[in-house]
Amino acid sequence: MSTRDRFLALCVVFLWGLNFVAIHFSLEHFPPFFLAALRFAVMAIPVILFVRFPKVRLKWFLVYVAGFGTVQFMFLFLAMSLGMPAGLASLVLQTSAPFTVVLGVLFLRERMTVAQVVGLIVAVGGMGLIAVDRATGSDIGLASLVPIGLTILGGLSWAIGNIGGRLAQPDDSFRMTMWMAVVATPPLYLASLIIEGPSAGFDALMTIGTETGLRALGGLVYLAALGTLVGAGLWTVLLSRNDASRVSPMSLLVPVVGISASFAFLGEVPTVGEIVGAVIVVGGCAVGVMARPRSRRRQRVGAEAASTKPPTTTTATTSTATTNTDSAADVDLACAATAARDR
């Protein structure tokens, strides 16, 4: 991953970390499934009017929409409406990273280094510590794991969406993200109608002028404009030009922003176990991201260079090329000489 792409990934980390505070404010007023539908609906009309549908592999585009746009937010918003703290949600949702790496290996034939495997195992261990601390420190015991389980399912859905977005092969990743909002809106609104009832969303809209309603409106604008349009757009671009196993671990840094923002704006104070778990998660992320996997291109070029014999027009030329087959510079010179001779 280039330095520029790492910087863009950190921008997404910051935007998505603040997302959870915006979701918290929005859920104080809107029902969870209606909020998920409304989040995309505010983008859908201008996208339909002004944005051309991208060239994509339709099957994988629908997988991207279902995983990244629909199911992920159904699980996440439901979990937070059931009491999942915003800061903790920002951490647990990052199970998408190991899920994406595993799915990338299975479906994209991507390779992982030992350091990446170790880093992800460490990060998952940190998340396990968070879950244990949550269960033992809560008055309702194992029932407190229900929101955590829903958030983990949201992470799995996000990972499926990552793979779908990669295999969709869009001609424009940003336009694909915008059209995701259009396609994801109907199923989310249908879920709201069936589960929450037709009056739930209407009542919330009619009281939008209240204090909680105005906070929810601000959160909604942030979710639609910065969290989805900018954040998801950049994320899809990064996945389109980098291995999923290199991009997805960066999302493990989102909890640093999420927990800090939840403390600053919501007064959420993490427990010692949550802090230790978060440090372990970030450490595992650092190991996974900073690992330097062998380039497939270099391996392929090296194999081709080793299997290609130099021209044998003279004995001196053969001897010189043979003694330097292990040198990348001499291989390049030999190729250049061959091209010049052909001309």
Side-chain angles (χ1 to χ4, degrees), residues 185-207:
T185 300
L188 286 170
Y189 185 63
L190 181 62
S192 175
L193 287 176
I194 295 173
I195 299 173
E196 299 165 341
S199 63
F202 180 78
D203 292 342
L205 290 175
M206 290 299 99
T207 56

Side-chain angles (χ1 to χ4, degrees), residues 49-197:
L49 293 176
F50 302 110
V51 179
R52 180 170 52 87
F53 189 81
K55 294 180 180 179
V56 293
R57 299 169 67 185
L58 186 59
K59 177 180 71 174
W60 293 111
F61 170 70
L62 294 177
V63 171
Y64 168 69
V65 171
F68 193 84
T70 304
V71 181
Q72 176 194 180
F73 293 108
M74 290 178 67
F75 282 131
L76 175 62
F77 288 7
L78 179 60
M80 293 185 65
S81 69
L82 293 176
M84 185 71 169
L88 187 60
S90 72
L91 178 67
V92 176
L93 189 65
Q94 306 320 312
T95 49
S96 64
F99 282 139
T100 299
V101 172
V102 172
L103 292 177
V105 171
L106 293 176
F107 294 101
L108 303 180
R109 297 181 180 179
E110 295 181 352
R111 295 180 181 181
M112 295 177 60
T113 65
V114 174
Q116 284 180 300
V117 174
V118 171
L120 290 174
I121 291 175
V122 170
V124 171
M127 292 180 187
L129 177 61
I130 295 290
V132 172
D133 179 79
R134 184 74 175 169
T136 57
S138 174
D139 295 335
I140 58 177
L142 293 178
S144 64
L145 296 181
V146 173
I148 292 180
L150 290 171
T151 309
I152 290 174
L153 289 175
L156 175 60
S157 301
W158 181 358
I160 293 172
N162 283 342
I163 301 302
R166 183 76 180 274
L167 292 175
Q169 298 178 358
D171 62 333
D172 189 316
S173 299
F174 191 67
R175 283 192 286 119
M176 183 179 75
T177 300
M178 289 190 287
W179 271 93
M180 173 200 68
V182 176
V183 181
T185 300
L188 286 170
Y189 185 63
L190 181 62
S192 175
L193 287 176
I194 295 173
I195 299 173
E196 299 165 341

